[in-house]
Amino acid sequence: MTKLEKSENPIAIAVSNRKGGVGKTTISSILTQIALSKTDKKVCAIDLDPQKNFTDSMSLFVKNNPTLLNNLVIKDAITQEGDFIIVDCPPALENQTKMAIEFADIIIVPIMADFFSLLNLEVVFEIGNKLGKIREQMPIVTIGFNNAGVVLSTSIRQQFSERGYFIAGDLPVHKLIPFNMAVGNQWDKGMGMEFRKQFWKLYNDIEINYKKMLNNDIKNLWNGS
Ligand SMILES: Nc1ncnc2c1ncn2[C@@H]1O[C@H](COP(=O)(O)OP(=O)(O)O)[C@@H](O)[C@H]1O
Ligand SMILES: [Mg+2]
């Protein structure tokens, strides 16, 4: 496995879970769109999944929003191009995923209220720890976009935050999300304010905590803004 050096400026996010259907591509696409809406950003969407849903979703998106064409690069391998890099990992833990986890500043592990996606959350932590990432530098965990019963998600959050992991909380579920992402619509088209706020919060948490990481403010990571 070749180690890829990344210059300190860009922020790189890996979205990974060996379980499929947990929302990796959707979260990758939404965060990419939010990053693009900040006009100063050169955004790089890296799609490591052979299903290429992230590629298709983002290609359609810039086709529908041609003014953003020059702000987005879509790649199928890890590269350090861009100010905001998002890697949508395949539902497997082959070398590419390990490289992405090593490369990333922040790792998002979407999970649903099912045993296997939870199991894979532990696996991602294990890989990160082996690669020498300390816990606080590692994860934003987003808890399931559906089926995550309140009781289960509360207990997951408690359990992991006690061990030093940041848990972003439940992502909202909306019936228009699958449609919007599949046809390259803007992710928040037709969504209410309350709904949009939760994804904006995820994005802002990433930016705020990345700045803290750059300033070596490790002890305040994920501790509010
Ligand atoms: N927040 C959400 N609200 C509603 N549906 C969602 C949400 N996130 C994902 N989905 C839907 O769940 C399915 C699986 O999501 P996807 O992002 O493709 O998962 P993965 O990339 O992990 O396989 C898709 O049909 C997607 O549209
Ligand atoms: Mg996917």
Side-chain angles (χ1 to χ4, degrees):
M1 194 159 76
T2 2
K3 190 169 158 50
L4 273 166
E5 288 300 332
K6 186 166 62 59
S7 65
E8 62 174 327
N9 297 333
I11 172 167
I13 299 163
V15 186
S16 174
N17 191 324
R18 182 168 49 176
K19 183 93 175 75
V22 292
K24 292 183 291 293
T25 303
T26 304
I27 290 172
S28 303
S29 305
I30 290 174
L31 291 178
T32 304
Q33 288 195 19
I34 294 177
L36 279 170
S37 71
K38 308 203 162 194
T39 49
D40 54 327
K41 301 265 184 216
K42 182 95 182 173
V43 182
C44 183
I46 302 177
D47 189 358
L48 299 184
D49 189 340
Q51 294 178 86
K52 293 284 162 271
N53 296 345
F54 188 29
T55 304
D56 292 341
S57 162
M58 296 321 300
S59 308
L60 284 165
F61 177 72
V62 285
K63 204 171 155 203
N64 295 344
N65 299 273
T67 53
L68 293 172
L69 192 62
N70 292 330
N71 295 0
L72 178 70
V73 257
I74 303 172
K75 298 276 176 183
D76 61 5
I78 293 175
T79 156
Q80 49 173 308
E81 253 180 86
D83 304 307
F84 198 90
I85 304 168
I86 303 191
V87 190
D88 185 13
C89 296
L93 288 174
E94 68 213 358
N95 274 352
Q96 272 195 318
T97 294
K98 289 185 180 150
M99 271 174 76
I101 291 174
E102 178 158 33
F103 174 73
D105 304 298
I106 286 170
I107 298 149
I108 296 183
V109 188
I111 56 174
M112 293 210 303
D114 84 20
F115 174 71
F116 294 111
S117 70
L118 256 170
L119 186 68
N120 285 304
L121 167 62
E122 295 278 6
V123 173
V124 170
F125 285 145
E126 234 169 70
I127 294 172
N129 288 340
K130 270 198 202 124
L131 294 169
K133 301 213 164 186
I134 67 159
R135 291 181 173 184
E136 292 81 357
Q137 281 177 317
M138 266 242 302
I140 283 199
V141 178
T142 55
I143 296 179
F145 63 81
N146 65 17
N147 300 332
V150 175
V151 176
L152 184 65
S153 70
T154 306
S155 104
I156 292 167
R157 210 170 296 156
Q158 255 165 11
Q159 197 188 322
F160 282 93
S161 53
E162 269 163 19
R163 291 162 52 194
Y165 296 117
F166 176 71
I167 309 284
D170 300 303
L171 285 181
V173 64
H174 197 293
K175 59 184 186 310
L176 286 180
I177 284 278
F179 177 75
N180 279 358
M181 301 328 294
V183 302
N185 270 348
Q186 213 158 298
W187 73 272
D188 54 356
K189 197 173 168 192
M191 310 288 169
M193 190 55 174
E194 272 315 303
F195 179 86
R196 297 204 301 264
K197 263 187 358 206
Q198 295 188 59
F199 277 105
W200 277 99
K201 184 177 181 311
L202 177 63
Y203 185 92
N204 287 335
D205 278 341
I206 291 169
E207 283 210 322
I208 289 165
N209 285 290
Y210 183 58
K211 268 188 208 130
K212 287 185 193 168
M213 279 160 66
L214 287 181
N215 294 329
N216 245 339
D217 186 9
I218 304 290
K219 72 178 189 314
N220 289 318
L221 276 175
W222 314 117
N223 255 345
S225 43

